[in-house]
């Protein structure tokens, strides 16, 4: 077995890695590097939707939580709003929260955390907008289950099939294959660092466990996420809170360091400022996924309560807040209160493990290993659901299509388990960047629909009417593929 794995690594995986490096570097340089296209685009999109939706993430902050009271209801065609939130969080809450924060700090300094907060606050409005569209333009697949996402609202709302296919292909590449490789890489690195477990054995274990869950489809994945995500999130927050309280005397200095570094007020000056902004926004986006077009797939699969697209938008907006403002901040405090980092040296999960060890001793490394295994594995599973949601676009939502997709997905997990960290992160950045570029253009074009649906929701709440949605109630761009989903009952 070891001989076969060694031959595959030498003759298949290594040459493939070398051949794609040049392409990946070129694209990332445009999107994230010298061109910084996405950094400007994401900031502009967040500001745009914050303004057009009248600071919805701030003025309706309490409503995000109140709407969760009735979020447990599902039906035969859709999962519950809470399951959709947990599914999206299971994809969001992964390497970005543990390894990604470490990468941001090691390359951008403490100030990168401030810019993660900025992109999260702005991204809450963007996340709301794309999730509303996911609901408005959702369809039923061959199994009678709700499906949707950017490819669907591009095809129906903008009525550009080619543009929709571009996004769907980017998503297959990203969430169907590359992102799961990133999660697997982080799991195997953590286990190897703590227990010297060979990466190929850990990779095989991840493949087997993932296959057992994803074979049941979206509902199986949603049920898994519903139980695992709240448990792991609460446990991680409690540990981080305890560490912060123990080191409360150091917290003012850490906060000052974050602010000074964020604005280049330290000795490194402009170089540190640029590094903080770039890495904070880049890693923040990778963690909370706002604007990337991933979360609308989970949002579209839900039957919201109240049955209105805007209500699911609020639920998914809460997901951005939990992911970055809560969980990423927990990791940042754990690292900054427990270790010193060097800008320019890329570090991943091992930096988080080292920091946790400084707080909790040997138990700290074990805790991070357990946390990353849960966090990243839930992401591996949820990523499958996002890719599967787009099989309908290509008329492949059948046994053969799902079989081919599942095989490629599992192979990429195994490859990612043994690949080098910088290469895997670079491929993830490229996939995420291409998806985001397409999605931001699409949701900007569909702004009138987002605003109209939001105004309809708020007007009915203000008049204390029954908050349900019918597509005749407001102007919807393009043409709905299945208007009966939102047909008026009157």
């Amino acid at each position: 077995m070891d001989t076969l794995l060694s031959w595959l690594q030498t003759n298949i995986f290594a040459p493939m890695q070398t051949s794609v490096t040049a392409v990946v570097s070129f694209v990332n340089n445009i999107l994230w590097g010298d061109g910084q296209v996405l950094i400007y685009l994401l900031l502009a999109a967040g500001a745009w939707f914050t303004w057009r939706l009248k600071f919805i993430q701030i003025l309706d902050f309490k409503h995000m939580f109140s709407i969760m009271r009735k979020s447990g209801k599902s039906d035969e065609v859709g999962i519950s709003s809470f399951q959709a939130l947990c599914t999206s969080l299971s994809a969001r809450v992964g390497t970005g929260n543990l390894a990604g924060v470490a990468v941001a700090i090691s390359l951008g300094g403490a100030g990168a955390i401030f810019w993660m907060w900025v992109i999260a606050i702005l991204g809450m409005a963007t996340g709301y907008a794309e999730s509303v569209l996911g609901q408005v333009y959702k369809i039923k697949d061959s199994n009678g289950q709700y499906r949707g996402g950017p490819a669907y609202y591009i095809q129906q709302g903008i009525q550009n099939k080619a543009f929709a296919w571009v996004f769907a292909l980017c998503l297959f590449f990203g969430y169907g294959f590359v992102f799961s490789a990133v999660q697997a890489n982080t799991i195997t690195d953590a286990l190897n660092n703590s227990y010297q477990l060979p990466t190929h054995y850990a990779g095989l274990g991840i493949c087997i466990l993932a296959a057992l869950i994803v074979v049941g489809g979206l509902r199986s994945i949603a049920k898994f996420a519903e139980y695992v995500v709240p448990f792991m999130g609460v446990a991680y927050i409690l540990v981080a809170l305890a560490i912060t309280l123990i080191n409360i005397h150091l917290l003012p200095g850490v906060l000052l360091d974050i602010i000074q570094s964020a604005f280049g007020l330290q000795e490194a000056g402009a170089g540190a400022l640029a590094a903080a902004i770039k890495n904070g926004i880049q890693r923040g986006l990778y963690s909370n996924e706002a604007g990337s077009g991933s979360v609308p797939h989970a949002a579209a699969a839900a039957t919201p309560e109240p049955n209105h697209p805007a209500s699911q938008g609020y639920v998914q907006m809460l997901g951005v807040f939990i992911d970055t403002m809560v969980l990423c901040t927990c990791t940042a405090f754990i690292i900054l209160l427990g270790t010193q980092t060097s800008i320019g040296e890329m570090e991943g999960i091992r930096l988080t493990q080292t920091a946790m060890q400084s707080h909790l001793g040997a138990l700290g490394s074990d805790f991070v290993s357990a946390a990353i295994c849960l966090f990243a594995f839930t992401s591996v599973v949820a990523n499958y659901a996002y890719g599967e949601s787009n099989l309908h676009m290509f008329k492949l939502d059948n046994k053969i299509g799902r079989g081919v997709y599942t095989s490629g997905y599992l192979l990429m997990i195994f490859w990612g388990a043994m690949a080098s960290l910088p290469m895997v992160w670079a491929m993830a950045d490229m996939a995420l960047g291409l998806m985001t570029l397409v999605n931001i253009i699409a949701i900007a074009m569909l702004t009138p629909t987002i605003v109209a649906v939001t105004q309809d929701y708020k007007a009915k709440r203000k008049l204390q009417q029954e908050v349900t949605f019918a597509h005749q109630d407001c102007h919807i761009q393009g043409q709905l593929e299945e208007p009966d989903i939102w047909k008026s009952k009157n």
Side-chain angles (χ1 to χ4, degrees):
M1 183 66 177
D2 289 340
T3 302
L4 175 61
L5 293 173
S6 179
W7 182 89
L8 288 172
Q9 175 68 16
T10 302
N11 295 283
I12 303 296
F13 296 136
M16 179 176 67
Q17 182 171 313
T18 301
S19 64
V20 301
T21 297
V23 174
V24 171
S25 298
F26 175 76
V27 175
N28 280 341
N29 189 52
I30 295 174
L31 296 177
W32 299 109
D34 295 336
Q36 297 186 344
V37 170
L38 284 180
I39 294 192
Y40 295 119
L41 192 63
L42 284 166
L43 289 171
W48 169 254
F49 286 112
T50 296
W51 174 60
R52 289 304 310 269
L53 297 172
K54 299 179 180 179
F55 296 88
I56 190 170
Q57 70 271 51
I58 297 172
L59 298 181
D60 287 356
F61 185 77
K62 289 177 61 177
H63 187 58
M64 289 192 306
F65 295 91
S66 64
I67 207 168
M68 295 301 297
R69 289 198 298 265
K70 298 180 180 180
S71 64
K73 180 182 177 182
S74 63
D75 57 24
E76 66 278 4
V77 292
I79 61 177
S80 70
S81 288
F82 183 69
Q83 286 178 324
L85 173 63
C86 288
T87 301
S88 67
L89 279 173
S90 67
R92 284 174 168 140
V93 178
T95 58
N97 300 85
L98 284 88
V101 173
V103 170
I105 293 174
S106 64
L107 294 183
I113 303 305
F114 176 85
W115 294 106
M116 289 184 77
W117 293 338
V118 170
I119 198 62
I121 293 172
L122 293 176
M124 287 171 71
T126 308
Y128 169 89
E130 61 183 356
S131 294
V132 166
L133 292 176
Q135 273 283 319
V136 170
Y137 294 99
K138 66 186 179 184
I139 55 91
K140 293 180 182 178
D141 67 7
S142 59
N143 294 322
Q145 304 294 305
Y146 285 144
R147 289 288 186 270
Y152 297 88
Y153 55 69
I154 291 171
Q155 181 167 298
Q156 298 173 54
I158 301 176
Q159 297 189 304
N160 189 321
K161 191 170 185 178
F163 200 33
W165 276 44
V166 168
F167 180 88
L169 290 172
C170 288
L171 182 120
F172 272 129
F173 178 68
Y175 281 85
F177 304 116
V178 179
F179 292 170
S180 294
V182 171
Q183 311 294 347
N185 182 279
T186 304
I187 294 173
T188 56
D189 187 46
L191 293 176
N192 181 261
N193 184 45
S194 294
Y195 311 111
Q196 291 73 54
L197 181 66
T199 56
H200 52 273
Y201 287 130
L204 284 173
I206 297 167
C207 288
I208 293 170
L209 290 174
L212 291 174
I213 296 171
V214 302
V215 71
L218 179 61
R219 284 190 178 272
S220 175
I221 293 168
K223 288 179 180 178
F224 171 76
E226 184 180 21
Y227 291 107
V228 175
V229 170
F231 166 76
M232 70 181 190
V234 170
Y236 191 69
I237 291 169
L238 289 176
V239 170
L241 184 61
I243 289 172
T244 303
L245 291 174
I246 291 171
N247 297 278
I248 195 70
H249 61 288
L250 299 175
L251 189 59
V254 166
L255 293 173
L256 181 62
D257 187 29
I258 289 173
I259 298 301
Q260 288 182 333
S261 179
F263 294 96
L265 301 178
Q266 296 174 327
E267 292 181 5
L273 173 61
I277 295 174
K278 176 182 179 295
N279 288 284
I281 292 177
Q282 192 171 351
R283 296 274 73 85
L285 170 64
Y286 182 80
S287 180
N288 65 52
E289 302 180 11
S292 69
S294 60
V295 172
H297 297 91
T303 299
E305 180 62 36
N307 193 27
H308 195 289
S311 63
Q312 193 61 39
Y314 281 105
V315 170
Q316 300 304 143
M317 186 163 66
L318 178 61
V320 178
F321 177 83
I322 293 172
D323 173 86
T324 307
M325 302 303 292
V326 177
L327 294 174
C328 283
T329 300
C330 285
T331 301
F333 284 173
I334 288 170
I335 292 173
L336 295 174
L337 288 169
T339 188
Q340 297 295 318
T341 63
S342 300
I343 296 177
E345 181 182 353
M346 184 176 188
E347 295 191 53
I349 193 61
R350 297 190 181 198
L351 176 58
T352 309
Q353 286 178 303
T354 301
M356 190 68 83
Q357 277 183 304
S358 72
H359 296 297
L360 303 178
L363 181 63
S365 181
D366 292 335
F367 178 80
V368 173
S369 295
I372 195 61
C373 286
L374 273 177
F375 278 38
F377 182 72
T378 57
S379 294
V380 169
V381 172
N383 290 344
Y384 175 90
Y386 289 169
E388 190 215 24
S389 294
N390 281 267
L391 291 175
H392 180 80
M393 287 292 301
F394 304 103
K395 310 302 180 186
L396 292 174
D397 52 339
N398 50 52
K399 288 185 177 180
I400 295 176
R402 288 190 176 92
V404 172
Y405 166 63
T406 303
S407 298
Y409 158 83
L410 294 174
L411 283 172
M412 282 298 292
I413 291 175
F414 185 69
W415 172 77
M418 299 181 293
S420 66
L421 177 63
M423 180 60 188
V424 175
W425 276 107
M427 289 185 69
D429 288 339
M430 184 183 75
L432 184 66
L434 292 173
M435 282 176 52
T436 305
L437 184 63
V438 173
N439 185 58
I440 291 296
I441 294 171
I443 61 177
M445 293 175 67
L446 292 169
T447 297
T449 296
I450 298 165
V451 173
V453 171
T454 303
Q455 290 174 342
D456 176 72
Y457 179 84
K458 290 188 174 185
K460 288 174 179 175
R461 279 191 67 215
K462 186 175 182 179
L463 295 173
Q464 298 184 335
Q465 297 178 351
E466 182 183 6
V467 183
T468 58
F469 181 71
H471 67 86
Q472 303 98 322
D473 293 347
C474 55
H475 174 67
I476 302 297
Q477 292 167 268
Q479 185 172 359
L480 299 182
E481 183 178 326
E482 297 189 30
D484 286 348
I485 290 177
W486 297 114
K487 189 175 181 179
S488 174
K489 297 179 181 179
N490 299 327

